[in-house]
Amino acid sequence: MMGKVKEMQAKMEKMQADIAALEVEGTAGGGLVTVKMNGKGEMLGLKIDPSLFKEDDIEILEDLIVAAHKSAKDRAEQITAEKTKELTAGLPIPPGMKLPF
């Protein structure tokens, strides 16, 4: 039993490291704005198409940045959920409980 617990703990630690090293991109405006994030939700990069640098388009640019960030965050959360589901397959985990802790 203790061997299983240690094995599960090692798998969980590896999964957390894999998720932290994950890099995802989110886009908005048909690719005019791209946000790159890691699995921790930290923004690693931002690309903005130069056509958006017009004074009267500032609000559009701001909205696209927020939308691209959300897209990247959603993708990172989706990958995390998939990895967690693979790791915890067959374990009786209560509904709504999120892993990794």
Side-chain angles (χ1 to χ4, degrees), residues 19-55:
I19 290 170
L22 182 69
E23 288 189 11
V24 295
E25 286 188 353
T27 61
L32 293 175
V33 175
T34 302
V35 169
K36 185 188 249 183
M37 293 177 57
N38 66 17
K40 295 180 185 178
E42 298 166 341
M43 189 183 303
L44 302 175
L46 172 67
K47 292 181 186 175
I48 302 170
D49 188 283
S51 68
L52 292 173
F53 291 108
K54 297 177 186 162
E55 197 169 313

Side-chain angles (χ1 to χ4, degrees), residues 1-96:
M1 178 76 166
M2 288 302 291
K4 289 273 188 199
V5 170
K6 288 186 186 248
E7 180 182 331
M8 181 66 162
Q9 184 178 9
K11 285 181 180 179
M12 181 66 77
E13 288 172 1
K14 182 182 181 328
M15 183 188 74
Q16 288 174 332
D18 290 347
I19 290 170
L22 182 69
E23 288 189 11
V24 295
E25 286 188 353
T27 61
L32 293 175
V33 175
T34 302
V35 169
K36 185 188 249 183
M37 293 177 57
N38 66 17
K40 295 180 185 178
E42 298 166 341
M43 189 183 303
L44 302 175
L46 172 67
K47 292 181 186 175
I48 302 170
D49 188 283
S51 68
L52 292 173
F53 291 108
K54 297 177 186 162
E55 197 169 313
D56 55 340
D57 290 340
I58 296 295
E59 287 181 24
I60 293 171
L61 177 59
E62 291 168 347
D63 291 343
L64 289 174
I65 291 170
V66 171
H69 184 271
K70 181 180 180 336
S71 173
K73 184 174 184 267
D74 290 348
R75 180 71 181 131
E77 287 176 356
Q78 177 187 10
I79 292 170
T80 299
E82 290 169 3
K83 287 183 178 286
T84 302
K85 187 175 180 178
E86 290 171 12
L87 179 67
T88 60
L91 291 177
I93 296 180

